[in-house]
mmCIF file with all atom_site columns, all heavy atoms in Angstrom:
data_model
loop_
_atom_site.group_PDB
_atom_site.id
_atom_site.type_symbol
_atom_site.label_atom_id
_atom_site.label_alt_id
_atom_site.label_comp_id
_atom_site.label_asym_id
_atom_site.label_entity_id
_atom_site.label_seq_id
_atom_site.pdbx_PDB_ins_code
_atom_site.Cartn_x
_atom_site.Cartn_y
_atom_site.Cartn_z
_atom_site.occupancy
_atom_site.B_iso_or_equiv
_atom_site.pdbx_formal_charge
_atom_site.auth_seq_id
_atom_site.auth_comp_id
_atom_site.auth_asym_id
_atom_site.auth_atom_id
_atom_site.pdbx_PDB_model_num
ATOM 1  N N   . THR A 1 117 ? 163.876 140.255 131.245 1.00 93.00 ? 374 THR A N   1
ATOM 2  C CA  . THR A 1 117 ? 163.484 138.900 130.861 1.00 93.00 ? 374 THR A CA  1
ATOM 3  C C   . THR A 1 117 ? 162.342 138.419 131.739 1.00 93.00 ? 374 THR A C   1
ATOM 4  O O   . THR A 1 117 ? 161.941 139.093 132.684 1.00 93.00 ? 374 THR A O   1
ATOM 5  C CB  . THR A 1 117 ? 164.678 137.932 130.993 1.00 93.00 ? 374 THR A CB  1
ATOM 6  O OG1 . THR A 1 117 ? 165.127 137.925 132.343 1.00 93.00 ? 374 THR A OG1 1
ATOM 7  C CG2 . THR A 1 117 ? 165.824 138.361 130.088 1.00 93.00 ? 374 THR A CG2 1
ATOM 8  N N   . ALA A 1 118 ? 161.847 137.248 131.430 1.00 91.00 ? 375 ALA A N   1
ATOM 9  C CA  . ALA A 1 118 ? 160.738 136.686 132.206 1.00 91.00 ? 375 ALA A CA  1
ATOM 10 C C   . ALA A 1 118 ? 161.181 136.318 133.616 1.00 91.00 ? 375 ALA A C   1
ATOM 11 O O   . ALA A 1 118 ? 160.389 136.396 134.552 1.00 91.00 ? 375 ALA A O   1
ATOM 12 C CB  . ALA A 1 118 ? 160.168 135.463 131.482 1.00 91.00 ? 375 ALA A CB  1
ATOM 13 N N   . GLU A 1 119 ? 162.416 135.910 133.758 1.00 94.00 ? 376 GLU A N   1
ATOM 14 C CA  . GLU A 1 119 ? 162.951 135.553 135.077 1.00 94.00 ? 376 GLU A CA  1
ATOM 15 C C   . GLU A 1 119 ? 163.726 136.737 135.649 1.00 94.00 ? 376 GLU A C   1
ATOM 16 O O   . GLU A 1 119 ? 164.571 137.331 134.986 1.00 94.00 ? 376 GLU A O   1
ATOM 17 C CB  . GLU A 1 119 ? 163.862 134.343 134.962 1.00 94.00 ? 376 GLU A CB  1
ATOM 18 C CG  . GLU A 1 119 ? 163.139 133.099 134.505 1.00 94.00 ? 376 GLU A CG  1
ATOM 19 C CD  . GLU A 1 119 ? 164.085 131.908 134.386 1.00 94.00 ? 376 GLU A CD  1
ATOM 20 O OE1 . GLU A 1 119 ? 165.202 131.985 134.933 1.00 94.00 ? 376 GLU A OE1 1
ATOM 21 O OE2 . GLU A 1 119 ? 163.695 130.939 133.752 1.00 94.00 ? 376 GLU A OE2 1
ATOM 22 N N   . HIS A 1 120 ? 163.431 137.068 136.877 1.00 93.00 ? 377 HIS A N   1
ATOM 23 C CA  . HIS A 1 120 ? 164.054 138.223 137.517 1.00 93.00 ? 377 HIS A CA  1
ATOM 24 C C   . HIS A 1 120 ? 165.568 138.044 137.670 1.00 93.00 ? 377 HIS A C   1
ATOM 25 O O   . HIS A 1 120 ? 166.332 139.017 137.552 1.00 93.00 ? 377 HIS A O   1
ATOM 26 C CB  . HIS A 1 120 ? 163.404 138.469 138.877 1.00 93.00 ? 377 HIS A CB  1
ATOM 27 C CG  . HIS A 1 120 ? 163.881 139.698 139.560 1.00 93.00 ? 377 HIS A CG  1
ATOM 28 N ND1 . HIS A 1 120 ? 163.661 140.967 139.052 1.00 93.00 ? 377 HIS A ND1 1
ATOM 29 C CD2 . HIS A 1 120 ? 164.604 139.874 140.699 1.00 93.00 ? 377 HIS A CD2 1
ATOM 30 C CE1 . HIS A 1 120 ? 164.206 141.862 139.847 1.00 93.00 ? 377 HIS A CE1 1
ATOM 31 N NE2 . HIS A 1 120 ? 164.776 141.228 140.861 1.00 93.00 ? 377 HIS A NE2 1
ATOM 32 N N   . LEU A 1 121 ? 166.008 136.819 137.912 1.00 95.00 ? 378 LEU A N   1
ATOM 33 C CA  . LEU A 1 121 ? 167.435 136.548 138.064 1.00 95.00 ? 378 LEU A CA  1
ATOM 34 C C   . LEU A 1 121 ? 168.193 136.882 136.784 1.00 95.00 ? 378 LEU A C   1
ATOM 35 O O   . LEU A 1 121 ? 169.278 137.459 136.826 1.00 95.00 ? 378 LEU A O   1
ATOM 36 C CB  . LEU A 1 121 ? 167.668 135.081 138.457 1.00 95.00 ? 378 LEU A CB  1
ATOM 37 C CG  . LEU A 1 121 ? 169.113 134.672 138.682 1.00 95.00 ? 378 LEU A CG  1
ATOM 38 C CD1 . LEU A 1 121 ? 169.700 135.446 139.856 1.00 95.00 ? 378 LEU A CD1 1
ATOM 39 C CD2 . LEU A 1 121 ? 169.205 133.194 138.943 1.00 95.00 ? 378 LEU A CD2 1
ATOM 40 N N   . ASN A 1 122 ? 167.626 136.541 135.639 1.00 95.00 ? 379 ASN A N   1
ATOM 41 C CA  . ASN A 1 122 ? 168.276 136.865 134.359 1.00 95.00 ? 379 ASN A CA  1
ATOM 42 C C   . ASN A 1 122 ? 168.325 138.369 134.124 1.00 95.00 ? 379 ASN A C   1
ATOM 43 O O   . ASN A 1 122 ? 169.296 138.891 133.568 1.00 95.00 ? 379 ASN A O   1
ATOM 44 C CB  . ASN A 1 122 ? 167.564 136.167 133.209 1.00 95.00 ? 379 ASN A CB  1
ATOM 45 C CG  . ASN A 1 122 ? 167.773 134.672 133.237 1.00 95.00 ? 379 ASN A CG  1
ATOM 46 O OD1 . ASN A 1 122 ? 168.720 134.174 133.829 1.00 95.00 ? 379 ASN A OD1 1
ATOM 47 N ND2 . ASN A 1 122 ? 166.872 133.945 132.599 1.00 95.00 ? 379 ASN A ND2 1
ATOM 48 N N   . THR A 1 123 ? 167.293 139.067 134.557 1.00 94.00 ? 380 THR A N   1
ATOM 49 C CA  . THR A 1 123 ? 167.291 140.531 134.438 1.00 94.00 ? 380 THR A CA  1
ATOM 50 C C   . THR A 1 123 ? 168.394 141.133 135.294 1.00 94.00 ? 380 THR A C   1
ATOM 51 O O   . THR A 1 123 ? 169.112 142.039 134.854 1.00 94.00 ? 380 THR A O   1
ATOM 52 C CB  . THR A 1 123 ? 165.923 141.099 134.865 1.00 94.00 ? 380 THR A CB  1
ATOM 53 O OG1 . THR A 1 123 ? 164.899 140.506 134.072 1.00 94.00 ? 380 THR A OG1 1
ATOM 54 C CG2 . THR A 1 123 ? 165.879 142.600 134.701 1.00 94.00 ? 380 THR A CG2 1
ATOM 55 N N   . LEU A 1 124 ? 168.571 140.626 136.504 1.00 94.00 ? 381 LEU A N   1
ATOM 56 C CA  . LEU A 1 124 ? 169.640 141.114 137.380 1.00 94.00 ? 381 LEU A CA  1
ATOM 57 C C   . LEU A 1 124 ? 171.019 140.799 136.792 1.00 94.00 ? 381 LEU A C   1
ATOM 58 O O   . LEU A 1 124 ? 171.948 141.619 136.887 1.00 94.00 ? 381 LEU A O   1
ATOM 59 C CB  . LEU A 1 124 ? 169.507 140.513 138.770 1.00 94.00 ? 381 LEU A CB  1
ATOM 60 C CG  . LEU A 1 124 ? 168.300 140.966 139.587 1.00 94.00 ? 381 LEU A CG  1
ATOM 61 C CD1 . LEU A 1 124 ? 168.268 140.224 140.920 1.00 94.00 ? 381 LEU A CD1 1
ATOM 62 C CD2 . LEU A 1 124 ? 168.325 142.458 139.807 1.00 94.00 ? 381 LEU A CD2 1
#
Side-chain angles (χ1 to χ4, degrees):
T374 60
E376 296 179 15
H377 185 65
L378 181 63
N379 291 338
T380 303
L381 292 177

